[in-house]
Amino acid sequence: MTKPVVISSLSRSARNWPDIFGCESDKQLDGFTMVSAIFNLRLNSDFIRINGWKVTRLVNWDSIRFSTLEPTLGTMNINFPILLLAALAPMGIGFLWYGPLFGKAWMAESGMTMEKARSANMVKTIGLSYLFCVMVAFTLQFMVIHQYSFFSMVQNDARPEVAEWLRQSTALFEGSFRTFKHGMLHGFMAGVTFALPLIGLHALYEQRSAKYIFIHAGYWIISMMLMGGVICQWA
């Protein structure tokens, strides 16, 4: 939990409070509708947000004195529809990769047969496969969207100067490196540095061939490139 920042009391009349917070209207503050009689309210355990601040434990409404003010830096919204869409990429690529492209080579290297493949519960297999792809997409977004990095460093920082810095940084860099091409680059890096080593480790102890490793690693590198591009461009 963030440490509250103590703010000195402000002796202003109720009719001047929009000027105190730099607001144009006495009815609206950062999307939260306020009433003119707000200074007569007793807040108890509730809170309001004023220009990015979460105000808690308010006392002495007549002099507009705030015992503690806790800045809220906001959140980066996760675009779940785009993640669900990106998770379809490995599914589509898989039908081609392990079908017309490398299906015979994969079956020979893995010991899979058509009879064994047909005996699988396809509803379960496809359902769980998509779930796992969604999990990959969810994690991949933090690699391809750079804005998550600086936000994660300061999201629990209660200093007002940090809140102001974050607002300015968001305005300046909100669209930086948010392209399909850049997402593909980081998807490629994730595939080479994560998927390839993990597949290689299992393959070594299972005494699989190099072809087996490159078939699976190639699939995930291509899939993560496409996922990364979609997420970085549209998430």
Side-chain angles (χ1 to χ4, degrees):
M1 184 175 180
T2 55
K3 183 179 180 180
V5 179
V6 178
I7 305 297
S8 58
S9 61
L10 303 173
S11 297
R12 298 288 186 91
S13 63
R15 65 178 180 274
N16 291 330
W17 65 266
D19 298 331
I20 297 174
F21 299 104
C23 303
E24 297 179 357
S25 170
D26 61 352
K27 297 292 184 180
Q28 189 74 21
L29 289 176
D30 267 10
F32 285 79
T33 302
M34 315 298 289
V35 295
S36 59
I38 188 172
F39 296 104
N40 296 323
L41 299 178
R42 294 184 178 180
L43 197 61
N44 296 325
S45 60
D46 296 328
F47 68 87
I48 60 173
R49 295 178 190 271
I50 299 179
N51 282 359
W53 292 86
K54 184 171 72 175
V55 184
T56 58
R57 297 194 296 276
L58 281 75
V59 297
N60 193 6
W61 280 103
D62 294 333
S63 62
I64 320 179
R65 179 176 178 179
F66 302 87
S67 59
T68 59
L69 287 176
E70 182 181 349
T72 58
L73 304 183
T75 58
M76 286 193 65
N77 296 324
I78 295 177
N79 194 330
F80 284 103
I82 293 299
L83 296 184
L84 295 176
L85 177 64
L88 293 174
M91 306 291 290
I93 294 172
F95 283 112
L96 296 175
W97 196 268
Y98 295 102
L101 296 178
F102 302 102
K104 292 181 179 179
W106 163 64
M107 294 180 71
E109 296 300 322
S110 63
M112 178 63 68
T113 64
M114 291 301 297
E115 291 74 18
K116 188 175 181 179
R118 292 192 183 100
S119 65
N121 185 335
M122 295 309 296
V123 174
K124 176 182 176 182
T125 300
I126 294 177
L128 288 178
S129 295
Y130 182 66
L131 175 61
F132 294 148
C133 290
V134 171
M135 295 169 65
V136 173
F138 183 86
T139 302
L140 191 60
Q141 69 177 322
F142 301 112
M143 300 180 187
V144 302
I145 299 178
H146 295 319
Q147 285 76 8
Y148 277 115
S149 299
F150 69 79
F151 178 82
S152 64
M153 292 187 297
V154 299
Q155 60 180 330
N156 293 322
D157 198 314
R159 291 173 295 176
E161 61 268 25
V162 175
E164 180 61 27
W165 172 84
L166 182 62
R167 281 191 289 270
Q168 294 179 4
S169 299
T170 301
L172 288 173
F173 304 110
E174 184 177 8
S176 297
F177 299 103
R178 296 297 300 275
T179 65
F180 193 92
K181 181 179 178 180
H182 191 77
M184 289 186 67
L185 171 63
H186 283 279
F188 174 79
M189 295 169 61
V192 171
T193 59
F194 284 95
L196 175 58
L198 291 173
I199 293 170
L201 282 171
H202 283 284
L204 288 173
Y205 284 96
E206 293 174 1
Q207 298 184 5
R208 301 288 187 175
S209 66
K211 183 184 287 187
Y212 174 91
I213 296 175
F214 289 120
I215 288 174
H216 289 303
Y219 160 73
W220 275 112
I221 291 173
I222 298 298
S223 295
M224 295 179 82
M225 288 177 65
L226 185 55
M227 293 173 73
V230 171
I231 294 171
C232 190
Q233 176 72 57
W234 291 293

